[in-house]
Amino acid sequence: MLSNCLSFDKLTISINDRPLLSGFRFMKRVWHSVDVPNLLELPRAVFLRSQTLAARHAFPMHVHVWNQFVYATSGTLMVTLDEARFVITPEQAIWIPAGVRHTTAALDDVEFRNLYIGDVPDLGMPGKCSVLSVSPLLRLLIMEIAAIAQDADEALYRDKLDAVVLNQIRRLRQLDFHLPWPRSSHLRDICEMLYFCPDNPRNIDDWAANAGLSSRTLARHFNAEVGMSLRLWRHRMRLFRAVEWLGAKRRVTDIALELGFSSTSAFTFAFRMEMGCSPTGWLNGRRDDSSSFVD
């Protein structure tokens, strides 16, 4: 497995002679770049844009002058910042404040809704990217906005919907489910290798020797940039990838082996300890939630 990882092709798309999506450099297959919509200003304080994105298609790194609420109605999205990665499944959304550099990529075929939100008074939202648990009511509100988006006769009703949507977004529960990402290139290389080869058996001593550093120095640098040890980051990364692959409907046994667990039961135990349910239970919860109005 390690030899295959080392031979991964780097992404060929570039901008200003730099990788367009530096977070995806060690991929087995090429990612395809999608143009960022050419929207210069918001036509209203809450503007809905619906889009589909084919698997392994991604927007380049970009910024908006408005806030963004990204919600996938089907499929799995990965949002990458300079310092973190987020996986978004249909139970979740991500809040991206104005001015934050990011790229959004489809891990499988995705349908998603973007709510572009201006800096309205008393917005009351976090000043950093946050993963939010989407309520059934908010899903219905977004569907309703999409249904009347082109109806000029519904302007007053739309204003009222926008106000309710903003109130709902403020009330959403924040989830501590993201993968912090280092800034320095040598630590990024380690994380990228582990991310795309999560069963890589190397420990911190091996990585330090490869980088020409002592284990203590590497550990100190990693903690300083990422806010946790390499061991804890690796554990979170595996959970992160598990959710990603479960969302893509991969078999639990295949996921367990590719993550480097010795057995499906070992993976199930680790998943249950973190998520409070088994991988199968998590999948069933997604299916139940999609047809239920109970949050």
Side-chain angles (χ1 to χ4, degrees):
M1 182 69 178
L2 183 57
S3 60
N4 292 334
C5 296
L6 292 173
S7 64
F8 281 2
D9 293 331
K10 292 188 177 182
L11 188 70
T12 55
I13 304 168
S14 64
I15 183 169
N16 296 330
D17 296 325
R18 297 181 62 188
L20 182 65
L21 300 173
S22 62
F24 302 133
R25 288 189 293 166
F26 293 100
M27 299 299 290
K28 289 181 178 177
R29 291 172 287 171
V30 173
W31 283 76
H32 304 279
S33 181
V34 178
D35 291 338
V36 176
N38 185 22
L39 185 63
L40 300 180
E41 61 181 20
L42 296 183
R44 56 184 303 118
V46 179
F47 176 72
L48 175 67
R49 186 178 66 80
S50 301
Q51 185 161 350
T52 59
L53 204 58
R56 308 189 77 79
H57 283 65
F59 296 105
M61 276 288 188
H62 62 283
V63 297
H64 299 296
V65 297
W66 47 76
N67 306 291
Q68 186 175 4
F69 179 89
V70 185
Y71 163 53
T73 55
S74 66
T76 308
L77 288 170
M78 182 160 66
V79 177
T80 302
L81 314 180
D82 288 329
E83 71 284 356
R85 288 183 179 178
F86 303 80
V87 166
I88 306 301
T89 63
E91 304 75 37
Q92 304 164 339
I94 184 169
W95 173 260
I96 306 174
V100 174
R101 272 172 41 92
H102 65 282
T103 177
T104 304
L107 298 169
D108 48 8
D109 292 342
V110 173
E111 294 184 11
F112 65 101
R113 307 289 182 263
N114 277 304
L115 287 177
Y116 293 151
I117 301 173
D119 283 323
V120 298
D122 301 321
L123 183 58
M125 291 300 292
K128 62 180 182 179
C129 288
S130 304
V131 177
L132 306 171
S133 178
V134 179
S135 67
L137 175 57
L138 182 58
R139 292 179 202 146
L140 292 175
L141 290 169
I142 292 173
M143 291 170 59
E144 181 69 359
I145 289 177
I148 66 166
Q150 306 302 322
D151 193 341
D153 295 333
E154 298 284 4
L156 181 59
Y157 176 52
R158 173 64 192 274
D159 289 341
K160 293 179 179 179
L161 274 179
D162 289 350
V164 178
V165 164
L166 289 176
N167 278 322
Q168 275 294 301
I169 290 176
R170 293 187 191 105
R171 294 170 62 87
L172 296 180
R173 180 168 56 93
Q174 290 191 39
L175 305 173
D176 182 20
F177 191 66
H178 74 284
L179 192 65
W181 211 253
R183 297 179 300 275
S184 59
S185 60
H186 69 287
L187 294 183
R188 278 179 177 262
D189 286 345
I190 293 173
C191 289
E192 285 175 347
M193 180 67 76
L194 289 173
Y195 188 87
F196 293 113
C197 302
D199 62 345
N200 189 313
R202 291 184 180 182
N203 58 31
I204 194 168
D205 295 331
D206 299 324
W207 292 114
N210 188 64
L213 300 171
S214 69
S215 300
R216 181 174 298 181
T217 298
L218 179 60
R220 185 173 66 251
H221 288 175
F222 197 92
N223 272 281
E225 290 196 21
V226 180
M228 63 180 67
S229 68
L230 178 59
R231 182 178 181 179
L232 181 57
W233 183 91
R234 194 171 195 165
H235 177 75
R236 177 174 288 197
M237 176 272 295
R238 284 174 168 161
L239 179 65
F240 194 82
R241 300 239 63 184
V243 170
E244 173 189 329
W245 289 337
L246 287 168
K249 302 179 176 62
R250 293 186 58 181
R251 295 174 64 245
V252 172
T253 299
D254 293 340
I255 293 172
L257 296 177
E258 191 155 347
L259 290 177
F261 287 91
S262 58
S263 65
T264 303
S265 59
F267 165 59
T268 298
F269 177 79
F271 190 93
R272 187 188 298 275
M273 291 296 291
E274 292 292 337
M275 304 296 285
C277 62
S278 68
T280 303
W282 185 87
L283 284 171
N284 290 337
R286 290 186 70 188
R287 287 192 286 268
D288 293 343
D289 191 58
S290 65
S291 59
S292 171
F293 294 101
V294 179
D295 192 8

